[in-house]
Amino acid sequence: GRWVTFPNGTVKEMTRDGRVVVRFANGDVKEDCGDGTVTYFYHEAKTTEISYPTGLVLTHFADNQMEKAHPDGTREIIFPNGKRVKFRADGTQLPIV
């Protein structure tokens, strides 16, 4: 692969398999997997966000909470204790079935 180092400390790696990994000076890391999936790790918050080509976005927090943001605007929150809450795009809570 190829590496590019920028003056601000950011390092960009382009791998032979088509992935692009950017390591920012603040510790954040962004990986474009080449298939439309993009993963971003927020170093300070210890949070990972994965965006899929379908429009689905998964966010994993340091406390093991997970959020799913669907392309239609609905959101689902899964708490560390396993409890789930769903919301419509307008913010109305939906029942869990």
Side-chain angles (χ1 to χ4, degrees), residues 3-76:
W3 294 77
V4 177
T5 302
F6 296 92
N8 66 358
T10 297
V11 177
K12 182 176 184 178
E13 175 189 6
M14 292 142 291
T15 66
R16 294 178 196 266
D17 64 2
R19 292 180 303 118
V20 177
V21 180
V22 181
R23 291 175 178 81
F24 298 95
N26 67 357
D28 289 4
V29 179
K30 179 182 178 184
E31 180 178 356
D32 183 336
C33 295
D35 65 357
T37 302
V38 176
T39 301
Y40 196 103
F41 174 71
Y42 297 89
H43 174 73
E44 190 169 324
K46 304 293 186 251
T47 298
T48 302
E49 184 177 273
I50 306 167
S51 301
Y52 294 94
T54 61
L56 177 68
V57 177
L58 297 180
T59 306
H60 299 265
F61 297 92
D63 66 356
N64 288 323
Q65 178 174 313
M66 186 173 82
E67 294 188 11
K68 296 180 183 179
H70 298 272
D72 65 1
T74 59
R75 288 187 322 122
E76 182 177 1

